[in-house]
Amino acid sequence: MAATPKKKRTAGRMLAVGAGLATVGALVAALPAGASGTKGGGNHGRYVDVQLLSFNDLHGNLEPPTGSAGRLTHLKEDGTTETVNDVGGVEYLATHLRQARQGNRYSVTAAAGDMIGASPLVSGLFHDEPTIEALNKLKLDVSSVGNHEFDEGARELARIQNGGCHPTEGCFEKGKRFKGANFPYLAANVTDEKRGKPLLDPYFVWERNGVKIGFIGVTLEGTANIVSAEGIKGLKFGDEVETINKYAKVLERKGVKSIVALLHEGGLPASGAYNYDCDSPGPGNGISGPIVDIAKNVSPQVDALVTGHTHQAYACTIPDPAGKPRTVTSAASFGRLYTDTTLTYDRRTKDIVRTAVASANHVVTRDVKPARDMSSLIKRWKDLAAPIAGRPVGHISADIDNPLDATAYEKPLGNLIADAQLEGMAPADKGGAQLALMNPGGVRAPLVHKASGAEGDGVVTYGEAYTVQPFTNMMTAVDLTGAQLITTLQQQVSGANQAAPKILQISKGFTYTLDMTKTGADRIVTSSVKLNGEAIDPSKTYRVAMNEFLAGGGDGFAVLKEHKNKLVGASDLDLFTAYLAAHSTATAPLAPPATGRITVVK
């Protein structure tokens, strides 16, 4: 299963580099007194500024994301917020990165995982080969793996790294063989259980004119709980802190003292605004979630942490084990932001001057000229996908949103999908389901009323439906007791999900109260849990529809593995498109479903 990435290019690739666009700052400081280095990465002097450009959670979003997926929230000086529309798209990300590199001789571009997986149809239909091709053109130097890099299993990840045509579908373009990633994917904490060796390279050393920066890449330890078990058989996902600290020592022994951790795990800032100052009132006080404890325990040898997974935007400082501030960043998701971090390298000590680290998130606006090579790439793959992607499957009267805000627990599109799953699995011969549960991470994009092509406003195409539900999970109907149902709800906000709640989307007729003033499992008001107005009976058995991922205990819902009498049905995407077809026409489009199934107390 193990695969070693090909060394397709030298670590010290010279990039054309440059000044960033105006945005928000994070950690500030100055060079040590008397520093004689040059800004922009000059060749001479003791200090050299290295530009680190980073992003995360692209998820194959080559085309500009639409609806709420293509927006950001900006915090104004007076404390109010405004929406920044029309952001993201790899054509624009490429232009912004290339502009940012200009004038910077020392520049390295890194990513923190989930570059692929859960991708829109133009990439997902071709097993994300288009996205890897785009990242190669972007001159990405290195990336950690994320959980979604394992969506199709370790063998497919090895192909993504090393190249070769798909084992069952072959080559997608006549006469062209997929070349794989030009950049190394790092998987320091993903090891073969038998041999104990990393699946892919654990670290990468970037070098330019004697300036060396080591990158250690890890995914979250809980990856095995949020991907299909079949594809990761024989793999172990180790502790993030232990792994990073282990390889920091390895790099130090090799003479590499400047170290950046690429970590596919993240945090939740107190504000959803991309320019929120999460260092106010104190270092790390404005951010919560798994990254806080991780950052506080990662060795002081590590100079900065580039993170992901939570799809949030932040450029914070969190103290290291020695109590010294250290930069921790994340650039939201879908290519809407990139982070520009200045790492001041001391040639004498070969280390980063931590007090001089500065970091800022920059908006990928669409008011710049799109990169022609990316536009050509997208058109080429869209033309291949067109016969499938453009087929109409339904009609909607308005946007059906899937808010990215972590506190938007119940989402209109989540309700729609849960209703579609209940309807598809309710007939006696299909499973006899009485309610449906949908994992929120499985809903990847909103349904947008405005036409994405020539189909017309309000028309939902197969490609748009695929972008919403790209995993093609098989649906199941299972037996759960009322007690297990209540435990399921409690596991949304306790155990593995206590720090970052995962609120399931639920079908109509299933209701309960979520009290966020309490902690852990107590946040579920058990007496409020009802089905069609009748209180759930802990001793009674209920038929519940859910996808195979949830039925296997995914996303920390261990109790769901205790189900009985499983019946497997159609795929989630098939049920979704069937529901759209059955409940909408051009003259009677489907309206966004109301929320209110979950009563939230804040």
Side-chain angles (χ1 to χ4, degrees), residues 237-256:
F237 294 83
D239 181 87
E240 304 97 334
V241 172
E242 290 178 7
T243 304
I244 293 170
N245 291 349
K246 171 185 174 180
Y247 284 104
K249 292 178 181 177
V250 171
L251 286 169
E252 286 268 351
R253 289 197 296 268
K254 291 179 175 289
V256 180

Side-chain angles (χ1 to χ4, degrees), residues 169-366:
E169 296 186 41
C171 298
F172 295 112
E173 294 180 290
K174 188 176 181 180
K176 290 187 179 181
R177 181 181 180 275
F178 175 55
K179 296 179 180 179
N182 286 352
F183 57 91
Y185 261 122
L186 305 182
N189 67 331
V190 186
T191 55
D192 185 297
E193 284 183 322
K194 292 181 179 178
R195 300 188 303 157
K197 293 184 177 181
L199 176 73
L200 298 171
D201 285 352
Y203 60 84
F204 165 80
V205 178
W206 178 89
E207 183 176 2
R208 180 70 185 154
N209 292 335
V211 175
K212 295 181 180 180
I213 298 179
F215 291 86
I216 302 166
V218 299
T219 186
L220 69 153
E221 183 180 8
T223 291
N225 298 321
I226 54 176
V227 300
S228 172
E230 184 64 29
I232 58 169
K233 280 184 178 178
L235 294 181
K236 179 181 179 181
F237 294 83
D239 181 87
E240 304 97 334
V241 172
E242 290 178 7
T243 304
I244 293 170
N245 291 349
K246 171 185 174 180
Y247 284 104
K249 292 178 181 177
V250 171
L251 286 169
E252 286 268 351
R253 289 197 296 268
K254 291 179 175 289
V256 180
K257 297 182 179 180
S258 298
I259 302 172
V260 175
L262 304 176
L263 168 63
H264 193 70
E265 179 60 291
L268 301 168
S271 167
Y274 75 88
N275 60 330
Y276 165 67
D277 180 7
C278 54
D279 286 345
S280 177
N285 286 0
I287 188 169
S288 60
I291 195 57
V292 178
D293 286 339
I294 291 173
K296 287 180 177 179
N297 288 284
V298 164
S299 168
Q301 292 171 293
V302 176
D303 299 296
L305 284 78
V306 176
T307 71
H309 188 56
T310 58
H311 291 202
Q312 303 300 302
Y314 48 85
C316 301
T317 57
I318 299 175
D320 67 15
K324 296 180 179 179
R326 178 169 51 196
T327 294
V328 180
T329 68
S330 174
S333 61
F334 307 155
R336 294 174 294 155
L337 292 174
Y338 72 91
T339 310
D340 191 337
T341 301
T342 299
L343 302 173
T344 299
Y345 183 89
D346 186 338
R347 289 186 182 273
R348 186 177 300 171
T349 64
K350 299 181 180 180
D351 206 350
I352 298 299
V353 182
R354 283 266 295 275
T355 56
V357 175
S359 191
N361 272 327
H362 297 242
V363 179
V364 177
T365 60
R366 299 179 200 164

